[in-house]
Amino acid sequence: MSDTPDAVKAARSEKRGAGRPSSGGRAHPLARFLVRRILLAVLMAWGITLVTFVLTNLVPGDPVAANLGQRALGDPAIVAQWRAEHGLDKPLWQQYALHLQGVLQGDLGTSQQSHRPVSQDLAEFVPATLELAGAAILVSLVLGVAFGVVAALRRDRLADHTLRLLSLIGISVPTFWLALIAFYVFFYRLQLTPGSGRVDAALGSAPAVTGLQTVDALLAGRWDIFSSAVGHLITPALVLALYTIGLLTRFTRSAVLEVLGQDYVRAARAKGLPGRVILFRYVLRSALVPIITVAGLAFGSLLSGTVLVEAIFAWPGIGQYAYKSATTLDLPAVMGVGLVVGVVYLVINLIVDILYGVIDPRVRLQ
């Protein structure tokens, strides 16, 4: 009797599977890759709490004198009471244990300046910086990658030389100087952009949902607040983005030029594939790994380096909060800012690692 079709299919499947190692129920390589990265991120988060605590307590200066003043500092009873209230009378290891316990419970302590929970202060100031840095990195990605691709495709031509010169200027110009010039020219002289702050004071603010003025205005249907928020956002975001645009332009050009010289790109051209298909399917996908790396690091640096830009444009973000906390030796606030910035870096690196595994299968198999 001849074999049935089902039996033939089963035999073929068994033959194809012969000689292959059994997975034994092991997880998918991408899942194992993500688990390793998440565990490493948790370990590094603990390291961030330790480093921020140690470095903050090594800062020269007396927080008691910075907060109480000279008159109260002369009364030992007041000084002892203040140190006891803020836990400064305990050994450092006990202070760190209490700090770590509070972090795990979501309690970052109380600010010695605002007399509010540090977590509440950060929830107010962090979204403003995220909005500014997010707009800057979005502009940087669009313009930097586009300029880099054009410079690579027009290698050693006028467009290439012009874009390389502009990128060098963007990297070399100090951000704080550019912010001062932009504020003076576009606001004071030409009156093309709004002044300081995140939105016009006469309009008020949209109901807080995310803390991002543009998003909250859209959710509330307040187009007047949205347009005002975008107008206030444009100038500081472009000032912050100029350095990153120059950086991404140079890295994208280098990465695209390296991929253009590969054999599989030449083979695709020999097959007669359209230039657009070659660019997006072969060249850009292979060049994305270094571009993503630079973009992730750039976003972290934007988030932690907005102090001067926020000061010039009176942007109520984490940069201003960190500066005021450092000048008054507000230790809980300084440690809270350090923890937030460190966690943001961890999250960005985790996202970059995940994108590595999605784009390049070799990364998750190693």
Side-chain angles (χ1 to χ4, degrees), residues 183-234:
F183 187 81
Y184 175 77
V185 172
F186 295 108
F187 169 67
Y188 182 75
R189 299 295 299 179
L190 302 179
Q191 297 184 355
L192 295 177
T193 58
S196 57
R198 300 178 65 189
V199 70
D200 291 338
L203 297 176
S205 300
V209 178
T210 64
L212 310 177
Q213 286 287 351
T214 52
V215 176
D216 291 344
L218 287 177
L219 294 176
R222 294 292 304 273
W223 295 101
D224 52 346
I225 297 179
F226 174 77
S227 61
S228 177
V230 171
H232 283 78
L233 186 62
I234 289 176

Side-chain angles (χ1 to χ4, degrees), residues 69-82:
Q70 293 298 325
R71 174 176 293 183
L73 192 63
D75 191 337
I78 296 178
V79 172
Q81 180 182 358
W82 193 90

Side-chain angles (χ1 to χ4, degrees), residues 28-288:
H28 191 275
L30 182 58
R32 297 198 305 270
F33 176 80
L34 294 179
V35 170
R36 290 197 303 268
R37 289 297 185 268
I38 292 174
L39 292 177
L40 181 61
V42 172
L43 181 62
M44 293 184 67
W46 169 78
I48 289 172
T49 63
L50 180 61
V51 171
T52 54
F53 178 83
V54 172
L55 292 180
T56 302
N57 284 274
L58 288 177
V59 173
D62 187 3
V64 179
N67 288 274
L68 292 183
Q70 293 298 325
R71 174 176 293 183
L73 192 63
D75 191 337
I78 296 178
V79 172
Q81 180 182 358
W82 193 90
R83 293 178 65 88
E85 288 178 355
H86 295 86
L88 298 179
D89 58 337
K90 297 180 175 61
L92 280 179
W93 69 269
Q94 290 187 7
Q95 295 182 35
Y96 174 70
L98 293 174
H99 171 66
L100 184 60
Q101 180 182 0
V103 169
L104 294 175
Q105 297 174 351
D107 181 12
L108 300 179
T110 303
S111 172
Q112 299 163 4
Q113 292 299 309
S114 65
H115 303 291
R116 299 193 309 173
V118 174
S119 57
Q120 183 178 346
D121 288 343
L122 293 176
E124 177 181 342
F125 293 111
V126 169
T129 300
L130 285 177
E131 186 174 35
L132 179 59
I137 198 63
L138 181 62
V139 173
S140 302
L141 283 172
V142 173
L143 296 181
V145 174
F147 290 164
V149 171
V150 171
L153 296 178
R154 299 290 187 269
R155 183 179 184 180
D156 294 331
R157 299 180 184 177
L158 179 60
D160 181 25
H161 294 306
T162 303
L163 290 174
R164 290 170 64 185
L165 177 61
L166 293 177
S167 66
L168 181 61
I169 294 174
I171 294 174
S172 304
V173 174
T175 303
F176 72 90
W177 180 83
L178 184 64
L180 288 171
I181 295 300
F183 187 81
Y184 175 77
V185 172
F186 295 108
F187 169 67
Y188 182 75
R189 299 295 299 179
L190 302 179
Q191 297 184 355
L192 295 177
T193 58
S196 57
R198 300 178 65 189
V199 70
D200 291 338
L203 297 176
S205 300
V209 178
T210 64
L212 310 177
Q213 286 287 351
T214 52
V215 176
D216 291 344
L218 287 177
L219 294 176
R222 294 292 304 273
W223 295 101
D224 52 346
I225 297 179
F226 174 77
S227 61
S228 177
V230 171
H232 283 78
L233 186 62
I234 289 176
T235 307
L238 289 178
V239 168
L240 278 177
L242 185 62
Y243 174 84
T244 312
I245 290 173
L247 193 65
L248 284 174
T249 299
R250 300 177 71 87
F251 269 87
T252 303
R253 178 184 181 274
S254 177
V256 171
L257 284 176
E258 182 178 354
V259 175
L260 287 174
Q262 299 296 324
D263 293 336
Y264 60 87
V265 176
R266 297 192 185 99
R269 288 173 175 170
K271 290 179 180 179
L273 293 178
R276 182 179 302 177
V277 174
I278 296 175
L279 176 62
F280 288 100
R281 184 176 299 179
Y282 295 94
V283 177
L284 278 183
R285 182 171 182 178
S286 300
L288 275 180

